[in-house]
Amino acid sequence: MSPRILSISDPKLRRRAAPVQSLGARETELFETMISTMRQANGVGLAAPQVGVGLRLVVIEVPSGHESDDNEEWDWDSTEIFRLVNPVILELDEYEEITEGCLSLPGFSTSIPRAKRVVAEAAGIDGKYFEINARGLLAQALQHEIDHLDGTLVSDRAGSVGAMKQVMPDWVPSSEARTRRRSDTTADSAN
Ligand SMILES: [Zn+2]
């Protein structure tokens, strides 16, 4: 059974997650649990603190075409999954206002400045560090998930939870949610 995603008021989401010192079966299993939890919630990313684990682990699943600003070009039948250990952002560039939500605050979105281009570094499940040159949805997801590892939530970026806009009850805009088919949504398109 997939673990519950902690809600925005949970104090566990406010703690700074600890670096992962060694990788083993526990982390491999946690990654797979996080992926299934993220998928069940129709998310594009999940950080370990969201399932109550204070470690610097992140999963991100983005559709092919995620570098496009036009989400009609995203292909959810073909995705790329990232399992990131101790991810850090090295460079941020080309800020713009984009729509963002969080699986820990379903049904709310906000418009905040995020970099369109991100260079990040993380270890993979094999412990080897690699660089990620991201743009578009992947760049946004990296910023959102690494914020979670530092106890920062999208509502902080927006100013407060009250500054966020309520959208459809169970609809979570990106970065953590897959954008539903256009016909299903009346909310703003999520970058
Ligand atoms: Zn989130």
Side-chain angles (χ1 to χ4, degrees):
M1 205 182 84
S2 292
R4 193 173 59 87
I5 296 175
L6 300 184
S7 109
I8 205 128
S9 56
D10 196 302
K12 281 186 180 162
L13 290 176
R14 292 303 187 175
R15 294 182 194 147
R16 196 179 155 79
V20 177
Q21 307 289 358
S22 66
L23 288 166
R26 180 190 168 213
E27 288 73 25
T28 306
E29 200 177 309
L30 180 59
F31 268 135
E32 297 324 298
T33 303
M34 286 168 64
I35 289 167
S36 66
T37 303
M38 169 183 71
R39 287 181 158 176
Q40 217 164 46
N42 287 325
V44 301
L46 195 70
Q50 290 181 281
V51 289
V53 178
L55 288 173
R56 302 187 82 80
L57 297 172
V58 160
V59 294
I60 293 174
E61 183 176 26
V62 284
S64 65
H66 62 82
E67 295 189 340
S68 165
D69 292 335
D70 179 359
N71 59 25
E72 285 196 335
E73 287 177 22
W74 298 348
D75 176 10
W76 282 108
D77 293 330
S78 158
T79 62
E80 192 173 357
I81 298 180
F82 293 84
R83 295 168 177 82
L84 305 177
V85 180
N86 301 335
V88 288
I89 286 175
L90 304 177
E91 286 175 42
L92 296 162
D93 199 15
E94 289 182 34
Y95 278 85
E96 64 167 12
E97 289 275 327
I98 41 181
T99 304
E100 187 161 310
C102 180
L103 294 179
S104 293
L105 188 62
F108 287 83
S109 80
T110 187
S111 183
I112 53 166
R114 286 289 194 198
K116 272 171 88 173
R117 287 177 181 277
V118 169
V119 180
E121 186 185 61
I125 194 69
D126 59 0
K128 290 191 181 123
Y129 277 83
F130 62 99
E131 210 170 88
I132 309 164
N133 278 287
R135 53 163 296 148
L137 184 60
L138 178 58
Q140 186 183 10
L142 281 166
Q143 291 166 86
H144 183 103
E145 303 311 332
I146 293 172
D147 267 358
H148 270 302
L149 301 182
D150 295 329
T152 299
L153 303 170
V154 66
S155 48
D156 303 330
R157 300 272 181 200
S160 67
V161 172
M164 297 189 65
K165 185 175 71 173
Q166 189 156 17
V167 289
M168 290 163 65
D170 62 346
W171 189 78
V172 187
S174 73
S175 71
E176 274 187 356
R178 300 172 180 212
T179 305
R180 292 183 178 190
R181 275 189 224 109
R182 223 149 248 250
S183 56
D184 291 345
T185 173
T186 54
D188 297 348
S189 102
N191 67 83

